[in-house]
Amino acid sequence: MSVFEKVKAHISAGTVITDYGVKVGKNGMACCPFHNDKHPSMKVDEKHYHCFGCGAHGDAISFVAQMEGLSNYDAACKIIKDYGLPIETNHGGSEMAREAYHNKKVQESRVISVKKQFNKWVDDKIHELKECEALIEEAKESILRTDPREEIISNGFAYMVHKETMIGYWLDILCMEDEADKRSLFLEEREEVSRIAANIKRAGNEILGRSWKCVG
Ligand SMILES: [Zn+2]
């Protein structure tokens, strides 16, 4: 069954024509909306209309098509939509509306999940960078108790001290209100933040591990 047949099975020409404001008399005669009709010269029944004055002729779908200046297919889709008919179409009408609705929902849940991911990243990095700051402080204290001639310790320590300002700067951005700054940090320097934080933790643990060994 074609979409046209399904639409016509659901709704009569008389119903559609009446709903367009055309008064149909008990004898099924109406003033034709397609020509300047003073006396009813259009015959309307269940399936068709026919004007004896201007020759306009068709069914529920072609009536809507003529009134709205639509193709028959678009007119059928309009009827499906206007009357909420349970008919699926390939390219338009209810299916298109459903797909648009579905896409909107998917888009919304994607935005929510990206936002969650972003907020989690901000929280995680604040935590991680604060750990780095604490490690740098600990390393500074511990380095005083360690042999400064040790190459590895010196390199690691130099790295930590060198990156200290950077860590503080990133923490300022993450802890302040400006969403745009946080977002650009996330988008542009996310990997750099992770890399430097990881390096500091490695260097810090190395220094503290050794210094504990020395102290012990
Ligand atoms: Zn007519």
Side-chain angles (χ1 to χ4, degrees):
M1 214 185 201
S2 74
V3 168
F4 303 111
E5 286 166 328
K6 285 180 192 166
V7 168
K8 285 186 278 183
H10 270 93
I11 203 143
S12 73
T15 302
V16 171
I17 290 169
T18 305
D19 288 345
Y20 266 85
V22 176
K23 276 188 189 142
V24 181
K26 279 184 184 147
N27 59 354
M29 295 304 291
C31 281
C32 172
F34 302 116
H35 79 276
N36 188 17
D37 198 7
K38 295 277 196 316
H39 304 287
S41 50
M42 179 186 259
K43 174 83 179 156
V44 178
D45 63 25
E46 270 290 297
K47 291 188 181 335
H48 299 102
Y49 61 91
H50 180 81
C51 176
F52 298 100
C54 70
H57 178 91
D59 53 27
I61 294 167
S62 59
F63 182 84
V64 172
Q66 261 191 284
M67 290 294 279
E68 303 282 353
L70 297 171
S71 71
N72 282 341
Y73 185 81
D74 288 342
C77 290
K78 179 168 167 52
I79 293 172
I80 290 169
K81 194 167 145 260
D82 289 350
Y83 290 91
L85 303 181
I87 297 169
E88 300 218 349
T89 56
N90 291 332
H91 309 292
S94 57
E95 189 175 278
M96 207 150 112
R98 195 162 44 240
E99 198 180 311
Y101 178 78
H102 176 73
N103 288 343
K104 190 166 165 265
K105 284 285 153 198
V106 168
Q107 183 64 24
E108 276 171 8
S109 66
R110 199 173 293 148
V111 167
I112 290 167
S113 101
V114 167
K115 194 148 182 63
K116 266 190 191 163
Q117 209 182 318
F118 171 71
N119 288 338
K120 186 180 182 306
W121 179 83
V122 171
D123 288 345
D124 286 353
K125 289 304 146 183
I126 287 174
H127 182 76
E128 196 177 2
L129 294 176
K130 280 185 175 166
E131 271 181 356
C132 288
E133 273 193 334
L135 261 178
I136 293 170
E137 284 314 305
E138 273 188 81
K140 278 181 184 170
E141 286 172 24
S142 100
I143 209 81
L144 300 171
R145 305 192 295 265
T146 326
D147 185 349
R149 285 170 300 181
E150 282 254 18
E151 265 306 298
I152 294 169
I153 292 174
S154 303
N155 286 343
F157 185 67
Y159 182 86
M160 291 176 91
V161 171
H162 179 64
K163 296 298 179 192
E164 191 178 10
T165 317
M166 202 61 169
I167 299 292
Y169 169 70
W170 284 336
L171 266 174
D172 280 349
I173 291 176
L174 292 172
C175 294
M176 283 196 296
E177 292 295 301
D178 197 330
E179 282 288 314
D181 283 351
K182 286 186 213 177
R183 208 182 307 281
S184 64
L185 185 66
F186 176 72
L187 293 174
E188 289 155 28
E189 292 181 90
R190 184 171 34 175
E191 284 172 17
E192 184 77 347
V193 171
S194 295
R195 192 177 64 80
I196 288 176
N199 285 343
I200 286 175
K201 278 192 272 185
R202 195 180 309 119
N205 288 327
E206 207 166 88
I207 291 164
L208 294 170
R210 284 192 176 213
S211 71
W212 289 332
K213 231 182 273 169
C214 290
V215 169

